[in-house]
Amino acid sequence: MYEILVVEDEYAERRELAELMEALVPARHIRCAATCEAAIQMIDQLAPDLILLDIMLKGRSGFEVAQYVRSRGLDCRIMILTAYNEFDFASKAMSVGIQDYLLKPMRPDLLLQRIRSVLSRPAGGRAQPPQLWPSLACGMTSGLPQPLPRLPARVVVVLLSAPLSPEEGEALSAQAGPELRLECYGRRVVCYCPEGTAEPLETVGRLLAEWTPLLPGRCRLARAGVGEPAAGPEELAESYRTARLAACSGPLFPQRLVCRYTPWTGEWESYPDQAEARLIRALRSGEDTVQPAGQLCARLLSGCRGDAAILEGWLELYCAGLRRACGQVGADWRPELDLEACFTPRELSRRMEELADRAAGLLAPDSRADHPLVARTMAIVESRYPEPLKLEGVAREQFVSSAYLGRIFHAHTGQTFRDYLTRVRLGHAARLLEEGASVSAAAAAVGYEDPNYFSRVYKKQFGYPPKEGRR
């Protein structure tokens, strides 16, 4: 039986991961740590077979834990889970024998699939050579494994409509042939075209034609980006950057399957603050947000002048604006918008509308919540529903008694705190099930430890069992 250690400083994520691991091993074989010090102490006591490791641990680096494991010569597999796509420690990941690393958030079923794959490998080494793209993503070339088998002359990034499993990625890599190096990660396939191969557009066209029969039904070829030529290793990072930006140009050039990145060199327009302000006002007043969100999306697409780098930066400002507005009512929410998952203008607009709808729920969750304590309580539930929230704890955070908060909450909303928490949790669970999550994974993600109890509550709320809510 495997022993698993989860090292994560965020309580909700730590608990969610630990509960998800129960699909692999009984709970008594799972331990959790929130700091480097606690993790090292548990490693000495537990001798884990697998460590799920976050990189950023309250000012410390998770690589300290990995280095400790390797310095002790322990027979242990290590997987990194991080929210940082372009992290500064890519070379360290290669040097301390990390078996795999994943970007948050990740679908629970895919995470379990990756973990099973890692557990099937020998603990002391990797099943394949270290990937290049993490170093290239943060502009590093000094951390690349040496020597490179053949110097890539250009990078091509292909985006798929859904993430690949490790087995599906290996099938694609084998199909590419010996002259091309492929790295598959989630929905992204990075291709390194060596010097002397065919013209990049011809190479991409051939690869896309060969990959189509291998892709599972949930995947489709969405977009391909061709990077600038690289005359040497130091230029590979720029080739990767331009290839990724080209692949992210779907909302700008929806008719093109293969794109090249062309930066805008003319006069820049400023971010449309007034359009964003109109959307925020609509969110706060409870008005329909579809039109202002769509207008803001149109302004972003027209104002970036076909430059995906500008568009990506503006989308970060959009998410920051939503977070700032929600923070003013006490909701700690960090919206994210992945341009790699938006392949048409309509998909980008829909994703912006979804984030706006979520913000509307945090800013004005209920028209009857005109009492500031009730509004803050609703915001806390919306942003922290996976946690073991209790009326007593929420009341203590607001320096009032639980009896008083419970009374005014019911008076202003017509429901108890517990009923409202259940409604919010089940709403999020329904969306997870629609996206293909398992019943146990959806239950764990929204704060239910017992999937059977979750199923009973879900059926009582919706009138049908959760398994019927899956696609």
Side-chain angles (χ1 to χ4, degrees), residues 283 289 322 326 331-335 351-365 379 381-386 424 428 431:
L283 294 174
T289 60
L322 294 181
C326 293
D332 184 13
W333 177 47
R334 300 185 181 187
R351 181 58 181 146
M352 291 179 65
E353 292 168 11
E354 290 173 355
L355 292 180
D357 288 343
R358 174 73 189 280
L362 294 171
L363 290 170
V381 170
E382 280 283 350
S383 60
R384 294 162 48 189
Y385 60 89
V424 170
H428 287 283
R431 284 190 286 272

Side-chain angles (χ1 to χ4, degrees), residues 430-464:
R431 284 190 286 272
L432 290 173
L433 292 167
E434 290 176 0
E435 294 171 0
S438 67
V439 173
S440 59
V446 299
Y448 287 93
E449 296 181 358
D450 185 351
N452 293 325
Y453 176 69
F454 165 76
S455 296
R456 292 195 297 271
V457 175
Y458 188 98
K459 185 175 181 179
K460 181 179 179 181
Q461 174 75 17
F462 295 108
Y464 55 85

Side-chain angles (χ1 to χ4, degrees), residues 56-88:
M56 305 305 293
L57 297 170
K58 295 191 183 304
R60 301 285 295 276
S61 168
F63 283 112
E64 295 179 33
V65 177
Q67 289 168 338
Y68 176 80
V69 170
R70 297 305 177 223
S71 67
R72 295 287 301 276
L74 300 178
D75 191 28
C76 177
R77 303 160 183 84
I78 302 175
M79 294 179 66
I80 285 179
L81 298 173
T82 179
Y84 297 91
N85 189 356
E86 301 182 4
F87 56 91
D88 294 332

Side-chain angles (χ1 to χ4, degrees), residues 306-325:
D307 191 326
I310 298 176
L311 177 61
E312 198 167 45
W314 282 357
L315 291 175
E316 291 179 2
L317 292 177
Y318 171 68
C319 291
L322 294 181
R323 181 185 180 188
R324 185 168 54 250

